Amino acid sequence: MVCTLGASVCFGTATVLQAMAARAAGEGGTDSGAAGAATLLLRALRQWRYLAGLALDGVGFLLQIAALRSLPIYAVGAALAASLAVTAVVASWLIHVRLSRVEWGAVAVVCAGLAMLGLASGAEGDRAGSLGLKYAMLGISVVVLLLGLVGGRLPDRGRALTLGLGAGFGFGVVEVAVRLIEDLDLGSLLSNPATYALLVGGGAAFLLLTTALQRGSVTTATAGLVIGETIGPALVGVIWLGDRTREGLTWLAVLGFAVAVAGALALARFGEAPGTETDTEHESADAGSPQG
C-alpha cells in the first residue's frame, strides 16, 4: 500500500507543479492554435517545475507498477483516483487555490476510504490471466485509440464524459495489463498481447484525456476518467484474476472503495491543472459561500 500511496502523491503533486510552470509560461503570451500550444509547451519545458512534474510522473508510474504486483487492482485504482485529493491539498498550499468546506470534507472522505481499503485489502490474486483476457485488453485498447482519433468530432453534448470514460478505460487497461505480464524476458514481452495492450492503452488514454480537457468540461471529463479507471479494472481483478479481501472484510473493502471513489468524484475539478479558467469560474460561483 505504501507504493500505491506514493504513486498518488507523485501524480497529485506533479499536476500542481506542471500547472505552476504552465501559468508562468503563458505570462508572455502565445499565439492561438497549434503553434501557440507548441510554443507554450516549449516555454514550460524550460522551467524546473515542469521538469520536476514530469520526473514525479515517471516515479509515480514505477510505483504504480510495483503496487499492482503486490496489491489487488481495486485498491490500486482507488488510490490513484485519490491523487485528486493530493492535487487539491497541494494546490491550496502552493498556489492558493481556495477549497470550499465541501471539498475539504471530500479530501477527508478520500483518506477515510483509503484507510478502509488498507485494512481490508488482501494480497493480489493468484490466477494467471488467460490468453483470451490478454487479447481482450488489446482489443479494448485499440477501441480506445480509435475513439481518441475521432474524439474531437464527437457532438458537444456528452463529448467530455465520453472521452473521459474512454481515457479511464485506457488507463484501466494499463492496470490490468501490468498484471498480465508475468515474464519480463524480452522474448516473452514481445510475444505477449498484454505488452501491446499496455502501450496502446496508455497512449490512447493520454490522447483522449488531453482532447477532453481541451474541448469540454474538466469536471465532467475527470468524473468519467475516475469511473472508467476504477470500476472496470476492479471487476476484472476480482472475477478473472482472483483478487480477494482479508477474510470477513469484503464489506469493508467495498465500502472503502465506494467512499474513496465518491470523494475523488467530488474533487473532479482538480483533474486539470489548477489555476485555469475553470477554477476562476468555480471561485466566482462560490463567492459568498463560507470557505474552509
Side-chain angles (χ1 to χ4, degrees):
M1 198 69 179
V2 173
C3 288
T4 307
L5 295 177
S8 181
V9 170
C10 286
F11 290 140
T13 305
T15 298
V16 180
L17 291 175
Q18 290 163 353
M20 296 174 71
R23 176 185 291 181
E27 289 178 353
T30 60
D31 298 328
S32 59
T39 301
L40 180 62
L41 177 59
L42 289 175
R43 287 179 178 175
L45 286 171
R46 297 192 188 107
Q47 302 194 35
W48 70 267
R49 289 185 182 89
Y50 196 86
L51 297 177
L54 291 177
L56 283 174
D57 281 333
V59 173
F61 182 68
L62 293 177
L63 290 173
Q64 176 186 356
I65 292 175
L68 287 165
R69 291 289 186 176
S70 59
L71 285 175
I73 294 176
Y74 62 79
V76 177
L80 293 179
S83 65
L84 293 173
V86 176
T87 299
V89 173
V90 175
S92 70
W93 173 42
L94 289 182
I95 56 180
H96 310 295
V97 172
R98 293 187 303 162
L99 303 184
S100 67
R101 291 179 180 175
V102 171
E103 288 172 330
W104 279 116
V107 171
V109 165
V110 168
C111 293
L114 293 180
M116 286 186 275
L117 275 174
L119 291 173
S121 296
E124 65 169 329
D126 55 1
R127 295 183 200 163
S130 66
L131 185 61
L133 181 59
K134 295 174 182 178
Y135 275 111
M137 291 300 104
L138 179 57
I140 293 173
S141 69
V142 171
V143 171
V144 172
L145 177 60
L146 294 176
L147 180 60
L149 296 177
V150 301
R153 302 176 183 176
L154 293 174
D156 290 341
R157 185 174 184 180
R159 176 167 55 192
L161 180 60
T162 301
L163 295 178
L165 277 172
F169 290 144
F171 287 125
V173 166
V174 172
E175 295 174 16
V176 176
V178 169
R179 287 279 298 276
L180 296 177
I181 299 175
E182 304 92 2
D183 193 342
L184 299 181
D185 175 73
L186 181 59
S188 299
L189 285 174
L190 293 177
S191 62
N192 190 341
T195 302
Y196 304 100
L198 188 153
L199 296 174
V200 175
F206 181 79
L207 175 62
L208 261 73
L209 185 58
T210 301
T211 304
L213 295 179
Q214 288 177 341
R215 302 188 179 185
S217 165
V218 172
T219 301
T220 301
T222 306
L225 171 70
V226 170
I227 293 172
E229 73 175 347
T230 54
I231 297 176
L235 291 175
V236 172
V238 171
I239 296 173
W240 284 286
L241 299 178
D243 287 347
R244 292 293 181 266
T245 64
R246 293 182 182 178
E247 187 174 356
L249 292 181
T250 300
W251 66 272
L252 185 62
V254 173
L255 179 61
F257 180 87
V259 167
V261 172
L265 288 174
L267 296 168
R269 78 175 176 108
F270 293 95
E272 187 181 36
T276 61
E277 293 179 2
T278 302
D279 297 310
T280 303
E281 293 170 0
H282 178 91
E283 290 178 3
S284 299
D286 281 350
S289 304
Q291 298 293 323

